[in-house]
């Protein structure tokens, strides 16, 4: 071997040893240390996917991945959930950078509402990052999108009102007139007039009536009624409230009293067949994204808890990684899933956002030990640099599917926020002498 080759080998070996060192360190890191480290990684990963250089300000890419799979689009659902995290960060810190991100999201969203598209309404699932319509075939419409966008922006509008910025709210977010000229009002009009129509589910596969979609539609309308009242739009408030209450009736019909689960879809009229178990983590996500603190189908509701337990036991035996350790169960979308992150001719896997959702759910249900178990499951499979993809391979546990999935980061962060809340509550419960 020449001296040059020896040097090359020494370099290679040093690199490998360093990498092994880093990954063992990450594995050995205590849970609390990992949470802090992962929080940094998740924030970085999330911000990185907002307002991409080749897109318009306010666009949120679902993932930087442009092929196998191509997730380089602004999905209305993902973007609303991600921006809701930014609204919470703004509320806690009042930092200008967050405020600016939200303003950009408002103008991008308004342009989405005004862009003609193949859904012919507001249920268009995704847009190109320059704001133009995506014209390919897709499962459309997806009517959870406008509801989620309204929930996020109503939260922001209420925050602005508490800062005395009413004029701003009326100009950009909620105007009292019809036809609506602003983003929230436009979404509320759409949701209140179209919630009874069938649409594709959040996984973009099944056409029908969905628990998830209806839960977030209800919240959007009732949160919206509250905002409308604050702004003196009483007639609209009454109408949104009336539709919100009608949605409650319809949500009760998802309870299957024989199987003791909330089923994910009723009245399927098209799309993917074969979801015979009717079990889907979408129900838990519906509670997380749709619960408004008013006691209606809360995380401690018996029907919701029963669904979560049945869902967990289904996934526990389905994925081999769940047999290998005493960590929390890795959770997928639904048992019959065939989408492996690249194609649907394969087998489904556990998802990061589904596993994080169970963590968040149990923190909110008052069972933090169980919440921690699900986050420890994520700790075990997360990449050493903290990056998270869409899925974890059901046999090897390695990350797979779209890399740096923005929604994965958002779901880790909201689980962490829920954990921090229960930790605070623990402190206030401890008697202070
Ligand atoms: C991409 C969708 O986003 C995903 O949810 C679905 O499973 C596959 N296409 C197959 O339909
Ligand atoms: C596929 C998921 O099924 C869907 O919910 C999501 O909106 C897109 N990927 C983009 O992340």
């Amino acid at each position: 071997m020449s001296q040059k080759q020896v040097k090359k080998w020494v370099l290679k070996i040093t690199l490998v040893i360093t990498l092994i060192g880093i990954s063992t360190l990450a594995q050995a890191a205590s849970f609390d240390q990992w949470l802090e480290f992962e929080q940094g990684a998740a924030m970085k990963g999330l911000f990185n996917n907002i307002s991409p250089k080749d897109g318009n300000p306010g666009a949120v890419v679902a993932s930087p991945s442009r092929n196998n799979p191509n997730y380089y689009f602004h999905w209305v659902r993902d973007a609303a959930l991600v921006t809701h995290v930014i609204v919470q960060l703004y509320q806690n810190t009042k930092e200008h950078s967050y405020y600016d991100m939200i303003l950009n999201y408002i103008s991008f969203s308004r342009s989405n509402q005004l862009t003609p598209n193949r859904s012919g309404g507001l249920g268009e699932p995704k847009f190109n990052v320059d704001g133009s319509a995506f014209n390919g075939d897709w499962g459309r419409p997806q009517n959870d999108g406008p509801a989620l966008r309204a929930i996020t922006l109503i939260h922001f509008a209420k925050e602005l009102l508490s800062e005395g910025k009413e004029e701003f709210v009326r100009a950009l977010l909620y105007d009292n007139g019809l036809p609506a000229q602003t983003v929230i009002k436009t979404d509320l009009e759409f949701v209140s007039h179209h919630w009874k129509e069938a649409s594709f589910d959040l996984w973009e596969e099944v056409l029908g009536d969905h628990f998830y979609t209806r839960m977030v539609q209800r919240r959007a309308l009732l949160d919206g009624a509250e905002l409308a009242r604050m702004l003196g739009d009483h007639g609209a408030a009454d109408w949104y409230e009336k539709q919100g209450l009608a949605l409650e009736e319809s949500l009760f019909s998802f309870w299957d009293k024989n199987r003791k689960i909330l089923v994910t879809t009723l009245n399927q009229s098209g799309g993917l067949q074969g979801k015979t178990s009717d079990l889907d983590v979408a129900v838990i996500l519906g509670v997380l994204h749709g619960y408004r603190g008013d006691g209606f189908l809360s995380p401690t509701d018996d029907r919701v808890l029963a669904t979560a337990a049945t869902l967990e036991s289904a996934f526990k035996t389905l994925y081999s990684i769940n047999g290998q350790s005493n960590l929390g169960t890795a959770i997928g979308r639904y048992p019959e899933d065939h989408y492996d992150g690249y194609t649907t001719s394969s087998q489904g896997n556990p998802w990061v956002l589904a596993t994080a959702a169970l963590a968040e759910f149990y923190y909110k249900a008052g069972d933090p030990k169980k919440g921690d178990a699900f986050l420890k499951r994520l700790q075990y499979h997360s990449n050493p640099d903290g990056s998270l993809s869409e899925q974890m391979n059901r046999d090897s546990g390695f990350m797979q599917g779209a890399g740096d999935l923005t929604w994965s980061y958002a779901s880790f962060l909201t689980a962490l926020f829920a954990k921090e809340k229960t930790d605070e509550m623990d402190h206030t419960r401890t008697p202070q002498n």
Side-chain angles (χ1 to χ4, degrees), residues 33-51:
Q33 279 169 328
W34 177 76
L35 290 175
E36 203 179 318
F37 164 77
E38 190 57 42
Q39 179 172 16
M43 303 252 278
K44 197 172 142 228
L46 188 135
F47 298 150
N48 209 23
N49 295 348
I50 295 179
S51 301

Side-chain angles (χ1 to χ4, degrees), residues 199-225:
S199 76
F200 275 84
D201 71 322
L202 81 170
W203 309 134
E204 319 189 289
E205 297 173 329
V206 174
L207 183 62
D209 302 337
H210 314 289
F211 180 88
Y212 178 86
T213 305
R214 294 212 166 165
M215 271 302 274
V216 298
Q217 287 172 327
R218 169 188 180 267
R219 177 173 177 192
L221 292 175
L222 295 182
D223 287 0

Side-chain angles (χ1 to χ4, degrees), residues 328-345:
T329 307
I331 304 289
R333 299 194 295 183
Y334 55 91
E336 302 85 351
D337 199 355
H338 280 290
Y339 178 57
D340 69 358
Y342 313 105
T343 72
T344 48
S345 49

Side-chain angles (χ1 to χ4, degrees), residues 73-74 108 111-112 114-119 124 126-136 140:
F73 297 96
H74 175 98
F108 193 81
S111 95
N112 291 165
L114 297 170
T115 300
N117 60 71
R118 283 179 62 179
S119 291
E124 182 65 4
K126 63 177 188 177
F127 290 84
N128 296 314
V129 296
D130 64 0
S132 60
F134 167 75
N135 290 320
R140 53 166 70 86

Side-chain angles (χ1 to χ4, degrees), residues 125-382:
K126 63 177 188 177
F127 290 84
N128 296 314
V129 296
D130 64 0
S132 60
F134 167 75
N135 290 320
D137 291 339
W138 210 251
R140 53 166 70 86
Q142 295 176 18
N143 288 351
D144 57 324
L148 292 168
R149 186 165 56 199
I151 290 169
T152 293
L153 290 178
I154 291 166
H155 188 163
F156 185 57
K158 288 183 178 163
E159 195 56 28
L160 292 181
L161 289 180
S162 77
E163 293 172 12
K165 299 197 177 108
E166 184 176 324
E167 244 172 85
F168 180 97
V169 170
R170 287 184 187 279
L172 274 178
L173 290 169
Y174 189 98
D175 57 317
N176 291 10
L178 282 177
Q181 306 288 331
T182 50
V183 57
I184 295 175
K185 178 85 175 176
T186 304
D187 280 336
L188 292 177
E189 286 301 311
F190 176 80
V191 175
S192 62
H193 286 100
H194 297 275
W195 66 263
K196 288 181 183 150
E197 294 165 18
S199 76
F200 275 84
D201 71 322
L202 81 170
W203 309 134
E204 319 189 289
E205 297 173 329
V206 174
L207 183 62
D209 302 337
H210 314 289
F211 180 88
Y212 178 86
T213 305
R214 294 212 166 165
M215 271 302 274
V216 298
Q217 287 172 327
R218 169 188 180 267
R219 177 173 177 192
L221 292 175
L222 295 182
D223 287 0
E226 232 170 62
L227 178 68
R229 257 187 237 300
M230 290 167 94
L231 295 169
D233 198 3
H234 296 289
D238 289 345
W239 162 250
Y240 301 149
E241 207 165 80
K242 190 171 157 213
Q243 298 308 311
L245 295 178
L247 268 153
E248 294 183 359
E249 282 304 303
S250 101
L251 279 158
F252 286 135
S253 60
F254 287 78
W255 175 244
D256 179 330
K257 62 178 186 315
N258 297 318
R259 285 186 291 172
K260 299 205 165 21
I261 56 165
L262 289 158
V263 298
T264 190
T265 299
L266 292 174
N267 310 318
Q268 177 167 359
S269 49
L272 187 75
Q273 304 289 322
K275 291 180 69 173
T276 47
S277 72
D278 287 319
L279 268 175
D280 196 315
V281 76
V283 169
I284 304 305
L285 289 167
V287 172
L288 294 178
H289 302 160
Y291 181 56
R292 54 191 302 278
D294 56 4
F296 180 81
L297 289 177
S298 76
T300 53
D301 183 287
D302 286 344
R303 289 161 290 195
V304 177
L305 284 165
T307 310
T310 306
L311 195 66
E312 186 186 349
S313 51
F315 288 123
K316 176 109 191 153
T317 47
L318 188 61
Y319 304 135
S320 70
I321 53 170
N322 283 330
Q324 289 161 9
S325 71
N326 50 6
L327 302 166
T329 307
I331 304 289
R333 299 194 295 183
Y334 55 91
E336 302 85 351
D337 199 355
H338 280 290
Y339 178 57
D340 69 358
Y342 313 105
T343 72
T344 48
S345 49
S346 179
Q347 280 188 309
N349 292 299
W351 280 42
V352 171
L353 70 90
T355 308
L358 268 278
E360 180 174 342
F361 174 73
Y362 282 108
Y363 291 127
K364 290 184 169 168
D367 194 347
K369 286 228 173 75
K370 205 156 161 54
D372 284 353
F374 288 103
L375 287 187
K376 285 179 182 164
R377 167 62 67 183
L378 286 186
Q379 174 184 13
Y380 191 74
H381 299 293
S382 62

